[in-house]
Amino acid sequence: MKKFLVLVLMLMAFGGMLFAGASDEADVYKVGLSFSDYETERWPVEEAALRKQFEAIGWEVVTQVANHDPKLQNDQIINMITQGVDVLIIVAEDGAAAATAVDEAAAEGVQVISYDRLIKSANLACYISFDNVAVGEAQASGVLDVVDRGRFVLLGGNPQDNNATLFRKGQMNVLQPLIDSGQIEVVADQWVPEWSPTNALSIMENILTAIDNQVDAVVASNDGTALGALEAMNAQGLAGIVPISGQDATTAGCNSIVKGELTMTVLKDLRNLVPLAVETAVTLAEGREIPGLTTYSLKELTGDDLVGDVDCKFLEIISVNADNLFEEVVVSGFQTYDDVYVGIPESERPARP
Ligand code: GAL
């Protein structure tokens, strides 16, 4: 009899464990990751890092990639809301178009983190990024370190990406006084749709033809577009002679710097942004207040006549050129030694860290 009782008690305890297990299951949080595209090197890298960190804390992860199509991105976001995500992390292709999906998410009680790029909606839980105005300032200053006067070409990013506007704002903070004093003349000013290197190549070809190759410096807004422009410059014997800026410290961008073609890049350390996104998602899912945010109006963030505020956090950036690339990018482990120095003879490489 005693044995029977013990057995019953054991069964009850086991049943209780099963029950507890089932209810734990219901507590698993789900995050939706929405990317504009995988053409830019950083996005697939960040997807993998975000996924890894979320899965390590037991979250479910769903990812969608929009191939530069704002409408597709909104459909994918709505689909993830239907799948029951608790938090959405969005890299928007088009900061204005994605606002519709954010508003819908907010109406469904889904918290949205605008990741790296601003979505123009006051219904965001927050916007986490880098100091994008400082990025633009570093790009202009990096080029001015080499040539501080003459005929400048400006290559902006995708105009639908609010970061492209912020980069330009930073670039002009540095360039405008020199333009006003006549030290610099802007001989071409174009934006590169979808941040596409191919678009940058043909835009730069046309610019060089129009200005008869008379260019002293190029302020480009990221590595991908800079490398596209460099292809056009290379065909005219200008690569490595005319300074040009980049951004993202990509493998190809860093390799171009050590080869003496790209002048500078900007390191935005995703090893800081990714954990911040994860931490923020957890805080939001648990209904707690996110620490350390600063409130900005949509108007000051975009320059557009928009109503409402967004809580933001902006991380620091590092300006990288041939002098500090080894230390900041290779020794810090952001890119590997082998990737950065590919094609560089052993004798011209620094010692392996
Ligand atoms: C920007 C981003 C940059 C760059 C670019 C191209 O919004 O801040 O780091 O990657 O998009 O995708």
Side-chain angles (χ1 to χ4, degrees), residues 36-37 40-43 91-92 116-117 129-130 132 161-164 167 194-195 221-222 247-248 268:
S36 55
D37 66 283
T40 300
E41 182 178 292
R42 57 178 291 197
W43 303 136
V91 178
D116 191 74
R117 298 174 178 164
S129 187
F130 293 89
N132 293 307
D161 171 358
N162 192 63
N163 281 356
F167 303 148
E194 297 180 356
W195 293 98
S221 295
N222 82 342
Q247 173 185 192
D248 287 338
K268 302 198 295 192

Side-chain angles (χ1 to χ4, degrees), residues 254-275:
C254 291
N255 183 246
S256 180
I257 291 181
V258 299
K259 283 185 173 150
E261 294 197 339
L262 185 67
T263 307
M264 62 84 67
T265 187
V266 178
L267 172 59
K268 302 198 295 192
D269 204 331
L270 65 93
R271 293 169 298 183
N272 299 328
L273 189 62
V274 166

Side-chain angles (χ1 to χ4, degrees), residues 152-156 168 172 186-191 207:
F152 276 47
V153 168
L154 306 184
L155 275 189
R168 175 56 63 86
M172 295 319 275
V186 176
V187 291
D189 177 353
Q190 306 251 336
W191 299 79
I207 291 175

Side-chain angles (χ1 to χ4, degrees), residues 72 145 157 161 174 188 209 219 236 238 267 293-294 298-299 327:
L72 176 63
D145 282 346
D161 171 358
V174 175
T209 307
V219 180
Q236 303 301 319
L238 299 172
L267 172 59
L293 296 181
T294 309
L298 278 169
K299 197 170 178 178
E327 213 46 48

Side-chain angles (χ1 to χ4, degrees), residues 8 67 247 272-273 282 346:
V8 168
N67 306 325
Q247 173 185 192
N272 299 328
L273 189 62
V282 171
E346 286 290 337

